[in-house]
Amino acid sequence: MHFNVAKNTGIHTSQLDSIYLSGIHADTSLAVFKTNAEEYIAAYQKLLQDFGKHLKANNFIWEKATKGFNRIYFNKEGKIDYFLYSFRADQLTTEQEKRFDDLLNKFVDVYQFPLKAKSNFAQCSPVTYMPEAK
């Protein structure tokens, strides 16, 4: 869901961040994936690519490069508990954002992150969705 929707429904990132540790961290002692950070980063990048393929397969068309930000919260088994996102102002119409949100929820319902951990973990990143090359 959009960060604003989460906040309005009582879901606060500060609270989630106290429950979900960082998947990777500059201080490796604070990271969940201490020894296999490269494998973790590759798996996270694949998650974003898989989500992009899911959007494309469901005919979600990006009209222009669209910049956003994600914060994804995983349980220790690799299921996504929360996928929070935002876009820069006026990048999507209300209808496009509703469709994006619907497709995101369908993706989250079935997606399984390939790595498991000893604790819940989170990852954030900027993201740019690109229109299909012609």
Side-chain angles (χ1 to χ4, degrees):
M1 69 184 77
H2 192 284
F3 278 97
N4 292 338
V5 173
K7 185 177 178 183
N8 292 338
T9 57
I11 299 169
H12 300 282
T13 55
S14 59
Q15 181 182 17
L16 291 174
D17 289 344
S18 71
I19 301 167
Y20 295 81
L21 304 174
S22 293
I24 55 172
H25 196 283
D27 178 350
T28 55
S29 69
L30 300 174
V32 171
F33 295 93
K34 298 175 188 330
T35 58
N36 57 343
E38 289 152 5
E39 182 183 9
Y40 172 76
I41 292 167
Y44 180 74
Q45 290 172 336
K46 184 170 183 330
L47 177 156
L48 296 177
Q49 292 166 354
D50 289 346
F51 179 52
K53 290 174 186 174
H54 172 75
L55 292 172
K56 182 179 177 182
N58 286 279
N59 300 310
F60 190 94
I61 306 297
W62 298 101
E63 296 172 10
K64 60 185 177 189
T66 305
K67 295 184 181 234
F69 184 80
N70 300 325
R71 182 116 178 107
I72 307 172
Y73 297 89
F74 302 87
N75 67 29
K76 60 187 177 182
E77 297 299 318
K79 286 296 291 171
I80 298 172
D81 288 338
Y82 300 94
F83 188 126
L84 305 181
Y85 66 87
S86 64
F87 292 105
R88 289 189 178 173
D90 301 325
Q91 293 240 342
L92 296 179
T93 65
T94 302
E95 182 180 293
Q96 288 171 317
E97 191 157 339
K98 182 182 180 330
R99 185 137 193 282
F100 176 89
D101 197 68
D102 289 343
L103 291 171
L104 172 61
N105 282 302
K106 288 177 183 169
F107 177 79
V108 166
D109 282 346
V110 299
Y111 192 80
Q112 176 66 46
F113 194 72
L115 303 178
K116 295 182 181 179
K118 292 181 180 178
S119 65
N120 296 338
F121 58 97
Q123 184 62 46
C124 63
S125 67
V127 63
T128 302
Y129 297 97
M130 300 295 292
E132 190 172 347
K134 295 183 181 191

